[in-house]
Amino acid sequence: MSILISGSVAFDHILEFGGHFAEHILPGQLDKLSVSFLTPQMRSDYGGCAGNIAYAVRQLGGTALPLATVGQDGGHYLERLRQLGISTEHIAVANDCYTAQCTIVTDNRQNQITAFHPGAMAQAHLNPVPQDKPIGVAIVSPNGKEAMQQHAEQLHAAGIPFVFDPGQGMPMFNAEELQRLIDLATWTTLNEYEALLLCEKLGYDRAALSRQLRGLVVTLAESGCEVWREGSCELVPAVAPAAVVDPTGCGDAWRGALLHGLEQGWDLARCARLGNYMGALKVAHRGPQNYQVDPAVVAGY
């Protein structure tokens, strides 16, 4: 069965700042912020949530089906996906704009400042969920607002279980819109900050949120993750990385593992354990799509 991945396809431009952001940002001056960071190191990578998650799913041996939109400059990204064995059948091309672009500045403590140009992603809602594919599980990850809403409605109507992953797209939605997406979803995954923000917007805690879903997972970076089911929480310990090189795409690697496990019918905690391994593996490599999974290690999960 295919794993449908609704989300962005983007080019990541990653710049490395050798200092610490906090040393250059005065807390009392945030209302008139004007800072510049010297970034001697720069690279460009293939990225975007759909692309990164599809890469992780493929690394784990799954059939990834990204549902996304690229611009006039996206041809070489599509070719790369095809070379990786990832279908591009449901990636639309918008010829009147550019592919989404993400510029990330990372300091020496792995903090990040990100600027994102949506480009073709703003037209992603014109590319609907396919009705003729054997889809076992899906995810609605950060994308254009209309695309996230429409794909969630389409997946629910088709009876396809899916993960709602609002990520950095959460500020686009008000409380009523977020509640609707949760009502449609089967599972929700968030990082710790996103969980705090979502619960604040909705007015209830993680336990109450988990009772509305088949499961809720909150990732806690180096502290592992919380797996919530029916109001009860299980802490799944982190996996220590071989090195901390680049956090870009760690969450997407984690979500690829979650989808792989769900498609296999795994328990949510088992999915989370594999996710923690994938996050640790990714953080030891530069770029969101440059790591290689060891099948022998994966088999142990």
Side-chain angles (χ1 to χ4, degrees):
M1 299 286 280
S2 297
I3 296 172
L4 185 79
I5 304 161
S6 165
S8 61
V9 166
F11 294 114
D12 288 346
H13 309 293
I14 301 167
L15 301 91
E16 298 182 12
F17 171 57
H20 184 209
F21 293 143
E23 296 169 353
H24 297 263
I25 299 174
L26 301 176
Q29 303 296 314
L30 294 178
D31 61 330
K32 44 193 170 188
L33 184 65
S34 179
V35 294
S36 177
F37 301 106
L38 180 65
T39 57
Q41 304 298 322
M42 174 181 168
R43 70 180 189 279
S44 293
D45 285 314
Y46 297 101
C49 294
N52 295 345
I53 296 171
Y55 180 86
V57 167
R58 183 61 182 155
Q59 283 284 305
L60 291 165
T63 302
L65 192 64
L67 179 65
T69 303
V70 299
Q72 58 187 279
D73 56 341
H76 61 98
Y77 198 144
L78 299 182
E79 180 57 30
R80 179 176 186 272
L81 291 174
R82 288 191 284 265
Q83 290 176 357
L84 290 168
I86 297 170
S87 171
T88 60
E89 181 182 358
H90 294 285
I91 300 180
V93 178
N95 290 310
D96 59 345
C97 57
Y98 292 106
T99 301
Q101 310 278 327
C102 184
T103 300
I104 304 166
V105 183
T106 302
D107 73 3
N108 62 4
R109 298 187 186 178
Q110 302 304 313
N111 298 305
Q112 294 184 324
I113 296 175
T114 300
F116 188 76
H117 168 66
M121 196 181 81
Q123 300 183 34
H125 62 285
L126 302 175
N127 188 14
V129 170
Q131 301 296 313
D132 58 346
K133 298 293 181 183
I135 299 167
V137 68
I139 187 169
V140 173
S141 65
N143 203 345
K145 179 179 179 179
E146 288 182 80
M148 294 178 72
Q149 292 172 313
Q150 292 186 24
H151 291 169
E153 295 282 357
Q154 291 161 8
L155 287 165
H156 183 77
I160 299 170
F162 74 93
V163 176
F164 173 47
D165 170 28
Q168 64 267 30
M170 196 186 304
M172 297 188 295
F173 303 100
N174 61 33
E176 182 179 350
E177 291 166 334
L178 286 167
Q179 185 62 62
R180 175 59 181 167
L181 287 163
I182 290 165
D183 291 343
L184 295 169
T186 315
W187 307 273
T188 293
T189 180
L190 309 154
N191 65 28
E192 190 168 22
Y193 174 77
E194 293 158 1
L196 290 169
L197 181 59
L198 181 62
C199 289
E200 181 180 286
K201 280 193 169 190
L202 297 181
Y204 48 75
D205 61 15
R206 297 176 196 181
L209 178 58
S210 71
R211 293 189 185 98
Q212 301 179 47
L213 299 150
R214 197 179 300 175
L216 163 70
V217 184
V218 179
T219 56
L220 308 172
E222 68 275 4
S223 298
C225 60
E226 296 175 349
V227 174
W228 289 86
R229 285 169 291 196
E230 294 295 332
S232 297
C233 178
E234 176 183 354
L235 181 64
V236 178
V239 174
V244 178
V245 175
D246 178 13
T248 309
C250 284
D252 295 330
W254 193 99
R255 283 153 181 78
L258 172 67
L259 292 166
H260 173 78
L262 291 174
E263 197 276 326
Q264 298 290 314
W266 291 4
D267 174 83
L268 199 57
R270 183 182 177 188
C271 298
R273 287 193 291 272
L274 180 60
N276 289 350
Y277 159 72
M278 290 288 282
L281 178 65
K282 205 309 318 158
V283 80
H285 295 78
R286 294 195 184 281
Q289 299 179 24
N290 297 318
Y291 58 93
Q292 299 293 321
V293 167
D294 183 344
V297 174
V298 172
Y301 285 88

